[in-house]
Amino acid sequence: MHRHTEAGTRPRLRRAGRTAAVLSLLASVACSSAQHSPASVTAAGKSAEIAVATWNMCGVQQWNCEDTGSPKNKFQQIRDLVGDSDVRVLLLQEVCSEELVSAALRLGPEWHSVFQPYAEVDAAGTSTRVECTGQSHGQAGYGLLAASPITDVEAVPTEQPRVGLHRGIVCARVPALRLRACNAHIALRESDEAHLDWDFRDDQLRSLFKAAATDPRTVLGGDFNSPPPVGDRNTSAWIWPTEAYTTFRECDQKGGARTGRPTHTDGTKLDYLFTTLPRTACKVVDAKSSDHRALVMRVSRPTDTDGVRTSD
């Protein structure tokens, strides 16, 4: 975590005098109980490529999402990603727990889900989960959808605001695809209400890439609430770990360039997918039912002997 600084200066470490809040390993992980058929395993096993998507659904209405479409509209976007782009794993942010479980059930018996709730922490240290507005929507959080069973679910510990909203990182394996997925919703700048000059994005990104580096079959991504580390006027380029664009490659990365197409309606890129697996395609999908566009990456299906590999 660092203090904010002006462009052109390197921020100084801000460690002394604070007790960093660490993301608790929230025990409530909701998974759909649907079972896949043997035929679906065979199909997954024969696929040469896997499509993975990340999408901030803007499904928590009270977070300025009232005019971004109904739950029905948002599910249709998920269905389109699955049907039109053959997405087999989705990383979702700002989703309501009941709608995530419902999406898995409606997509079919082979689909499974994992959910992690957001938490609001007050000045006394009391943690309260965020409820989605309306009846029968459940809690607000982030999670995964996959077209086969999900195992080894892990909430990745990282620095969090002392007072304010705790987002987080969750990783899990999809054994039938030989893939591991890590979904991150990174903190906003000035997210600690008691310490507006503290920035947690560098710590959280470092935790994310460290977790991903333990398995070369990992695809990681999500809503990073940060632009790419490019541009003379970019005051937050320092938050990015070096390995993000060297050891790993981003979905929209071309060679050494670190730019990418906008994923937010304000014209910035906030959403990312990284991997060390060979990438075969990347596209940005317009989503009329959110202020974020979806990002879809295709990778070569991992094998049991895959090591760390990169491609441009």
Side-chain angles (χ1 to χ4, degrees):
M1 185 189 73
H2 297 286
R3 284 185 180 275
H4 299 312
T5 59
E6 297 302 320
T9 61
R10 176 68 184 174
R12 293 182 292 107
L13 286 173
R14 174 64 163 87
R15 299 292 180 190
R18 69 175 176 88
T19 302
V22 176
L23 172 67
S24 61
L25 303 183
L26 297 170
S28 67
V29 176
C31 299
S32 68
S33 59
Q35 298 297 317
H36 61 280
S37 66
S40 68
V41 174
T42 302
K46 292 182 178 180
S47 176
E49 296 178 340
I50 302 169
V52 180
T54 183
W55 183 39
N56 183 319
M57 295 176 62
C58 202
V60 186
Q61 290 190 13
Q62 66 267 34
W63 290 352
N64 299 316
C65 294
E66 299 91 343
D67 300 324
T68 59
S70 67
K72 180 179 179 180
N73 299 141
K74 296 175 190 297
F75 173 72
Q76 186 58 53
Q77 179 67 57
I78 291 174
R79 186 184 290 280
D80 289 345
L81 288 169
V82 172
D84 298 342
S85 300
D86 195 29
V87 169
R88 311 304 288 167
V89 178
L90 292 98
L91 319 181
L92 300 172
Q93 307 85 43
E94 295 188 24
V95 60
C96 298
S97 57
E98 294 304 313
E99 290 165 12
L100 181 65
V101 172
S102 175
L105 292 172
R106 294 171 69 184
L107 285 172
E110 73 273 25
W111 283 86
H112 294 245
S113 67
V114 164
F115 177 80
Q116 286 287 96
Y118 299 124
E120 190 74 44
V121 178
D122 64 20
T126 302
S127 177
T128 305
R129 293 179 183 176
V130 179
E131 298 292 330
C132 286
T133 302
Q135 295 182 345
S136 303
H137 294 296
Q139 298 171 343
Y142 54 101
L144 301 167
L145 280 172
S148 57
I150 301 170
T151 65
D152 301 323
V153 178
E154 174 190 6
V156 177
T158 190
E159 304 274 2
Q160 292 286 350
R162 181 181 296 177
V163 180
L165 182 67
H166 286 202
R167 296 169 177 83
I169 305 167
V170 63
C171 296
R173 300 184 191 280
V174 188
L177 302 178
R178 294 177 178 170
L179 198 73
R180 180 169 177 252
C182 292
N183 181 18
H185 196 179
I186 302 299
L188 284 165
R189 189 174 183 268
E190 300 182 352
S191 59
D192 192 321
E193 298 171 12
H195 305 279
L196 294 180
D197 59 339
W198 289 1
D199 196 332
F200 297 85
R201 293 175 298 170
D202 62 317
D203 289 301
Q204 293 182 1
L205 286 172
R206 187 162 51 248
S207 296
L208 172 62
F209 282 94
K210 181 179 179 181
T214 62
D215 190 331
R217 301 179 186 90
T218 301
V219 173
L220 63 139
D223 177 1
F224 289 2
N225 277 315
S226 307
V230 294
D232 295 338
R233 298 183 179 180
N234 184 353
T235 61
S236 62
W238 60 270
I239 69 173
W240 287 89
T242 302
E243 62 269 26
Y245 287 88
T246 54
T247 302
F248 293 84
R249 291 290 187 269
E250 206 273 324
C251 176
D252 225 8
Q253 182 179 356
K254 301 294 191 298
R258 300 181 178 189
T259 55
R261 287 165 287 182
T263 61
H264 193 271
T265 54
D266 67 2
T268 59
K269 177 175 173 63
L270 300 178
D271 306 272
Y272 300 83
L273 287 169
F274 287 87
T275 191
T276 60
L277 295 166
R279 303 163 301 158
T280 60
C282 179
K283 66 178 179 178
V284 178
V285 179
D286 284 332
K288 297 179 180 179
S289 55
S290 175
D291 55 354
H292 287 251
R293 300 178 179 95
L295 188 65
V296 180
M297 179 170 66
R298 299 187 71 86
V299 299
S300 296
R301 184 177 183 273
T303 65
D304 289 335
T305 58
D306 267 330
V308 176
R309 296 179 293 168
T310 62
S311 64
D312 289 327

